[in-house]
Amino acid sequence: MLEIREVVAGYGAGDVLQGVDLEVDAGSVTCIVGPNGAGKSTVLRAISGLLRPTRGSIAFEGTAIHGRPPAEILELGISQVPQTDGLFGSLSVRENVLMGAYIARRDRRLVKRRYDEVAELFPLVAERADERAGNLSGGQRRSVEFARSLMLDPTLVMLDEPSVGLDPKALKVVAEAIQRMMAAGKTLLVIEQNVRFGLRLATHGVVMESGRVLMVDRAEDVLANPEMTDLFFGGTATAAPPEMPAKA
């Protein structure tokens, strides 16, 4: 579905990505892990059009997307949930979710149908529709962000560190929300600092360091790899993680 070939990209005079090669298969959940500064979030910015690569190519379902503006990439079927909390706390849950269909707002029938579909997938959206988003817990806020990202019915959803700042209870809520998207047939590309959390939900794992891809394998094999454990996971990859639902 997604093919990244020899991508070089960065900010100012510095290149963060040093020739990244990566493939994401349709229906998979691919989790990118690695130390701070490895270039993980920069990969998402290059895919979404927020950052233009200086070299290399990015193709989505056979269509070249590198260099295209973000709005075009969004319309092609790629959405992104940023790392930082992107909800408007003073707006209702419904209003926040509807913001995800802003570029399609003139087609009211389509927007209503999409909202109903999203509310069915995420019961929280229906149950708390009129409540201010600022009143929700961390895990609930993340779930609303995921729901908003689906309003244009994307094929590929990119999540930038969905677990950041969350306690174990909220992590379970986020894990369940991710599994709902998996069950709905979405392809997911996830960036995670919480290695155990991310790889236990994923089908494929990618390890990055210094702007390069070091390893690509099945998620469980990356998690169990002794060298990766010593280098990036502090030797604790097999430690008991927070309780989460099993993979769908």
Side-chain angles (χ1 to χ4, degrees):
M1 174 180 288
L2 181 73
E3 293 182 297
I4 301 175
R5 293 285 179 261
E6 299 181 358
V7 165
V8 176
Y11 312 94
D15 288 325
V16 177
L17 304 183
Q18 303 285 337
V20 168
D21 290 297
L22 181 65
E23 293 183 1
V24 176
D25 295 333
S28 68
V29 181
T30 299
C31 181
I32 304 178
V33 300
N36 288 331
K40 305 183 298 295
S41 294
T42 303
V43 170
L44 298 195
R45 292 177 64 84
I47 296 169
S48 63
L50 297 173
L51 181 66
R52 182 185 294 266
T54 55
R55 291 205 305 274
S57 64
I58 304 174
F60 177 64
E61 296 185 325
T63 299
I65 62 173
H66 53 280
R68 294 195 181 208
E72 284 188 19
I73 294 173
L74 184 60
E75 289 177 340
L76 285 172
I78 299 177
S79 68
Q80 179 175 343
V81 178
Q83 176 182 338
T84 55
D85 186 350
L87 294 186
F88 299 94
S90 62
L91 299 182
S92 70
V93 168
R94 179 188 292 105
E95 290 168 333
N96 270 281
V97 172
L98 288 173
M99 288 292 289
Y102 182 78
I103 65 174
R105 62 193 182 280
R106 292 183 177 83
D107 191 338
R108 295 185 178 181
R109 184 174 300 177
L110 173 64
V111 171
K112 183 182 184 305
R113 176 167 59 82
R114 291 275 171 80
Y115 179 84
D116 290 342
E117 292 171 352
V118 167
E120 183 176 355
L121 184 62
F122 290 93
L124 172 72
V125 171
E127 295 165 3
R128 310 285 286 273
D130 297 322
E131 188 169 341
R132 285 180 50 178
N135 294 338
L136 302 179
S137 68
Q140 291 170 337
R141 291 171 70 91
R142 268 304 193 191
S143 295
V144 173
E145 288 185 280
F146 296 167
R148 182 173 61 187
S149 75
L150 300 184
M151 281 296 291
L152 293 177
D153 195 22
T155 306
L156 173 65
V157 181
M158 303 190 298
L159 310 178
D160 194 350
E161 298 199 27
S163 74
V164 67
L166 301 181
D167 60 29
K169 182 178 179 180
L171 285 180
K172 187 175 181 180
V173 173
V174 170
E176 291 171 346
I178 290 173
Q179 289 182 333
R180 288 192 188 99
M181 291 191 287
M182 294 164 58
K186 302 303 179 184
T187 299
L188 302 177
L189 178 59
V190 184
I191 303 297
E192 257 303 336
Q193 282 291 103
N194 187 332
V195 174
R196 292 188 295 274
F197 175 81
L199 291 179
R200 288 185 74 245
L201 286 170
T203 58
H204 298 76
V206 178
V207 179
M208 288 187 65
E209 185 183 30
S210 302
R212 298 182 183 276
V213 172
L214 296 186
M215 180 182 182
V216 179
D217 209 333
R218 294 187 307 171
E220 58 265 36
D221 292 335
V222 174
L223 188 59
N225 184 284
E227 183 178 359
M228 295 301 106
T229 298
D230 291 338
L231 285 174
F232 301 116
F233 315 147
T236 60
T238 58
E243 181 183 353
M244 294 186 296
K247 286 183 184 178

